[in-house]
Structure formats: C-alpha cells, structure tokens
C-alpha cells in the first residue's frame, strides 16, 4: 500500500510539472495570451484608422467642400479674388 501511494504521488508530481512547464503548459499559455492581447490592441488601432479613412473617402465622394478644403490646406490654393495673408511670429 505504501508503494502504491508513492507511485501515485510521483505520478501527481510528474503531471503537475508537465502542466506548468511542459509543452503547451501554463507558461506557454500565458505567453500566447499576452501576444493575443497585443495583437488585439494593434487590430483595434488599425480598425480605428480604417474607419477614419472610410469617413474621409465618403466626404471626398460626397461633396466639393472636402476637395476644396484639401486643396487649400495641402496645396495652399487660393480662390480668385481672395487675398492670402500669412502671419509670421517672432523667432525669439
């Protein structure tokens, strides 16, 4: 009976070691869980960026105002009859 208990305790110890440190054990599970969390965060940021791009594309397709705004800010275009004024600050 004593030998049977020792064998069972040895088997339990081996199973616990395999559970915590073996292949596909808890250490590996925690590492994979952490990498999944990082990937989900990256995916959420990319999803938000994509939504902003979709909204900008919709604005560009929808009207002339978005194209005009883009031309004014990015290219510095001015309508005929307008006066362009640039205010330059001091370089102290």
């Amino acid at each position: 009976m004593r030998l049977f208990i020792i064998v069972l305790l040895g088997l339990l110890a081996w199973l616990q070691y395999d559970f915590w440190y073996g292949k596909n054990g808890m250490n590996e599970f925690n590492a994979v869980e952490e990498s999944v969390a990082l990937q989900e965060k990256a995916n959420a940021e990319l999803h938000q960026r994509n939504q902003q791009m979709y909204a900008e594309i919709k604005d560009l397709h929808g009207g002339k105002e978005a194209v005009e705004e883009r031309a004014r800010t990015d290219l510095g275009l001015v309508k005929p009859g307008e006066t362009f004024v640039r205010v330059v600050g001091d370089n102290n």
Side-chain angles (χ1 to χ4, degrees):
M1 185 63 141
R2 186 178 292 244
L3 180 62
F4 182 69
I5 292 174
I6 291 173
V7 169
L8 283 179
L9 286 175
L11 180 64
L12 178 65
W14 177 73
L15 288 173
Q16 282 294 313
Y17 177 82
D18 192 45
F19 175 74
W20 290 103
Y21 303 109
K23 182 179 178 185
N24 298 328
M26 284 303 291
N27 287 338
E28 190 173 333
F29 172 77
N30 290 335
V32 169
E33 193 174 50
E34 185 177 317
S35 68
V36 166
L38 289 174
Q39 188 62 49
E40 285 177 346
K41 181 180 177 187
N43 288 350
E45 291 171 359
L46 290 173
H47 180 70
Q48 181 181 7
R49 187 190 73 174
N50 287 345
Q51 293 303 318
Q52 289 173 344
M53 287 174 36
Y54 289 142
E56 186 173 340
I57 289 169
K58 184 178 178 185
D59 285 344
L60 289 172
H61 281 289
K64 193 170 125 180
E65 296 86 20
V67 175
E68 182 180 338
E69 178 187 348
R70 191 61 95 107
R72 287 175 176 271
T73 57
D74 292 348
L75 302 175
L77 297 180
V78 179
K79 285 183 179 179
E82 287 185 337
T83 304
F84 177 72
V85 179
R86 177 179 286 173
V87 178
V88 180
D90 294 336
N91 292 332
N92 293 345

